[in-house]
Amino acid sequence: MAGKRARLRAGKGTRLRAARLGPRDVLHVGSAGLRSRPVRIVLSALGIAIGIATMVAVVGISASSQAQLLRQLDALGTNLLVAEAGESLFSGEEVKLPKDAPGMVGRIEGVEEVGATGDLPVTVRRSEKIPEEETGGIGVRAATEDLLKVLRGGVAAGTWLNDANGRYPAVVLGDVAAERLGINRPGQQVWIDDRYFTVLGILDPLPLAPDIERSALVGWEGAQRLLGFDGHPTAVYERSTDASVRSVQKLLAPTIDPQNPQNVSVGDPSAALKAKAATEGAFSSLLLGLGGIALLVGGVGVANTMIISVLERRHEIGLRRSLGATRGQIRIQFVTESLMLSGLGGLAGVALGGAATAVYAYTGGLPWVVPLWAVGGGFAATLLIGTVAGLYPAVRASLLSPTLALQAA
C-alpha cells in the first residue's frame, strides 16, 4: 500500500508525451488527403507538371540540338581553312589568286589535303528557254578533283568529277542547286553558257561549304576548254593536322601572295558551327521563364488546394488534436501532403518533358539528350514549391483549437 502511494506521488510530476510519428506514419497521414480527393489532386498537380515539363523539354531540346552540332563538328573536323581572293586595298579591283596557289598551299608544313574552286562568269539554267537573268542564286564554278575529299563531302547520287569526265561537258550539282533546278537524278541535262551539260552527280549537304551547295561544279580542265576559264582559283580549301591549324592559318596569305598578303582573305568555315553550338539554347531563356511562371502558378494552385483541404478537414484536425496529436505533428501532416502533391506533379512533368524531347529528337533526326541536372533540378524545384506552398496551410491547421474545430463540425 505504501509502495502504491509512493508511485502515485512520483507520477504527479510526470508529464505525458505525445507519441512520435515514424516515417511510415507520416506518409500514411500525409497521403490520406490525396486518396480522398483524387480529382482535385490531379488538377492541382497538373499545373506543376506543365511547368516542369516545359522546363525539362526546353533544356532537353536545346541539349539535343547542341549534341547534333557537336557530332557534326566531330565528323566534319575543325581543321579546314579556306583562302579566298579579296579586293585590292588601293585600287578596289578584284584580286586574282595565282594559278599555282593550290600547289603553293600544299607545300606548307602541316597541310595534308588541298582543293580549289574558280568562279565562272556564266549561268546555269534548266534549259535555254529560261531567261538568263533567272539564275536562282546558283553559281557555276570550276572544281579540282580533290575538292570533295577536302570538304569531307559525299555524293548522294551519281559520281564525282575525275580525270576522265572532268574534261567534257559534265557537271556535278550541290544539293541546293539541284533542288532549285528541279534535277533529282544523274543523267539529266542543264544549260550552261551556250550548251547542255550532263549531270554526273548530286552532292550531299555540305554544312562547311554553303557556297558549294548552291553551285554547279565543272571539271577544271573542262571549264578551261569549254567555258573560257583562265585557271585562276577563287578559293583554296585545305586540311591540315589539328596541331598545325593556327600556324597554317598565319602562313596561308603570305604563301599565296607574298607581296600583298592583305589581298587574301583566310577564314575558318567551322567557326559558324562552333558559334552556333556555343550559343545553342541562348534563346530558350524566354521559354524557361514561361515554364518558371507556370511552375509558380502551379505552386499557387497547390497552396489553394491545401488551404481548402484545411477548411474541409477541421473536424479531422480537431479530433486528432483532442486525441493527443501535437501542433508539430499537424504541421508535418499537411507539409507532407503538399510535398507529395507537388512530387507527383514533378514526376509527371519530368516524364512529359522527356517524352516531348524524345519526339522532337526523333522527328528531327537528333540524338535524345536530357541533362541529369535538368531532371534533378526540376524535381528539386517541385519539392521546394511544395514546401513553400504547404507551410501556411500547415501552420493554419496547427493553430486550430480542438474544441472550436469539433464544435464547427
Side-chain angles (χ1 to χ4, degrees):
M1 193 70 179
K4 184 176 180 181
R5 285 196 296 269
R7 287 194 298 271
L8 288 173
R9 286 196 300 268
K12 287 182 179 179
T14 303
R15 186 176 180 181
L16 295 177
R17 294 183 179 180
R20 292 186 177 182
L21 292 178
R24 184 175 180 180
D25 299 321
V26 171
L27 292 177
H28 179 74
V29 297
S31 61
L34 305 184
R35 296 193 302 268
S36 61
R37 299 166 180 82
V39 177
R40 182 189 300 174
I41 296 307
V42 170
L43 294 177
S44 299
L46 186 60
I48 296 285
I50 291 174
I52 293 299
T54 302
M55 299 174 73
V56 171
V58 167
V59 174
I61 290 172
S62 175
S64 299
S65 300
Q66 187 178 48
Q68 176 68 5
L69 288 173
L70 294 176
R71 183 178 293 183
Q72 277 188 340
L73 279 173
D74 289 339
L76 298 172
T78 56
N79 57 348
L80 174 67
L81 296 174
V82 56
E84 298 179 287
E87 292 185 354
S88 175
L89 186 62
F90 301 103
S91 64
E93 297 179 357
E94 184 178 353
V95 176
K96 288 188 177 182
L97 300 181
K99 291 184 179 181
D100 59 345
M104 297 165 66
V105 171
R107 290 190 288 270
I108 299 176
E109 184 178 358
V111 173
E112 297 179 329
E113 301 168 345
V114 181
T117 61
D119 293 346
L120 299 173
V122 295
T123 60
V124 55
R125 291 165 285 164
R126 190 66 179 83
S127 71
E128 74 276 15
K129 296 182 180 181
I130 297 176
E132 189 173 353
E133 296 78 17
E134 297 182 11
T135 63
I138 305 171
V140 182
R141 291 177 169 87
T144 60
E145 298 173 17
D146 295 330
L147 177 65
L148 193 61
K149 183 180 179 183
V150 175
L151 296 177
R152 291 187 182 175
V155 181
T159 186
W160 176 243
L161 300 166
N162 54 44
D163 281 336
N165 57 37
R167 65 185 67 182
Y168 297 107
V171 63
V172 174
L173 300 176
D175 64 306
V176 177
E179 181 181 358
R180 292 179 180 177
L181 288 170
I183 302 296
N184 52 27
R185 58 181 173 79
Q188 295 179 277
Q189 292 186 320
V190 293
W191 184 263
I192 300 179
D193 198 19
D194 60 352
R195 69 180 68 199
Y196 277 104
F197 278 61
T198 301
V199 176
L200 294 176
I202 300 172
L203 300 180
D204 286 323
L206 296 169
L208 296 184
D211 290 343
I212 304 301
E213 292 180 328
R214 294 163 176 77
S215 298
L217 304 171
V218 181
W220 203 265
E221 184 178 344
Q224 291 177 320
R225 188 168 63 88
L226 302 172
L227 300 174
F229 178 47
D230 59 7
H232 288 275
T234 307
V236 178
Y237 298 84
E238 68 82 26
R239 288 270 183 187
S240 55
T241 60
D242 292 333
S244 60
V245 172
R246 296 305 129 210
S247 60
V248 171
Q249 188 173 17
K250 295 178 181 177
L251 293 173
L252 272 178
T255 300
I256 294 174
D257 193 345
Q259 295 182 341
N260 299 291
Q262 70 277 1
N263 293 341
V264 181
S265 173
V266 179
D268 179 2
S270 64
L273 281 180
K274 292 177 187 175
K276 189 175 181 181
T279 59
E280 186 65 42
F283 297 103
S284 63
S285 57
L286 176 61
L287 292 177
L288 281 174
L290 294 176
I293 293 173
L295 186 58
L296 290 176
V297 171
V300 173
V302 170
N304 183 57
T305 298
M306 296 305 302
I307 291 174
I308 295 175
S309 179
V310 169
L311 294 175
E312 291 179 345
R313 296 162 65 187
R314 286 177 298 175
H315 177 68
E316 174 193 336
I317 297 169
L319 183 60
R320 289 199 63 214
R321 290 281 285 123
S322 65
L323 293 175
T326 65
R327 290 179 176 178
Q329 291 174 348
I330 298 297
R331 287 194 292 267
I332 290 175
Q333 173 186 350
F334 283 93
V335 169
T336 301
E337 184 174 330
S338 178
L339 279 171
M340 295 179 72
L341 174 57
S342 300
L344 290 174
L347 290 175
V350 168
L352 288 173
T357 303
V359 171
Y360 179 85
Y362 177 77
T363 56
L366 305 176
W368 180 52
V369 179
V370 178
L372 290 177
W373 66 263
V375 175
F379 190 71
T382 63
L383 297 182
L384 178 62
I385 290 290
T387 302
V388 174
L391 281 177
Y392 173 71
V395 171
R396 182 170 178 174
S398 67
L399 295 177
L400 282 176
S401 169
T403 305
L404 294 178
L406 290 173
Q407 287 177 352

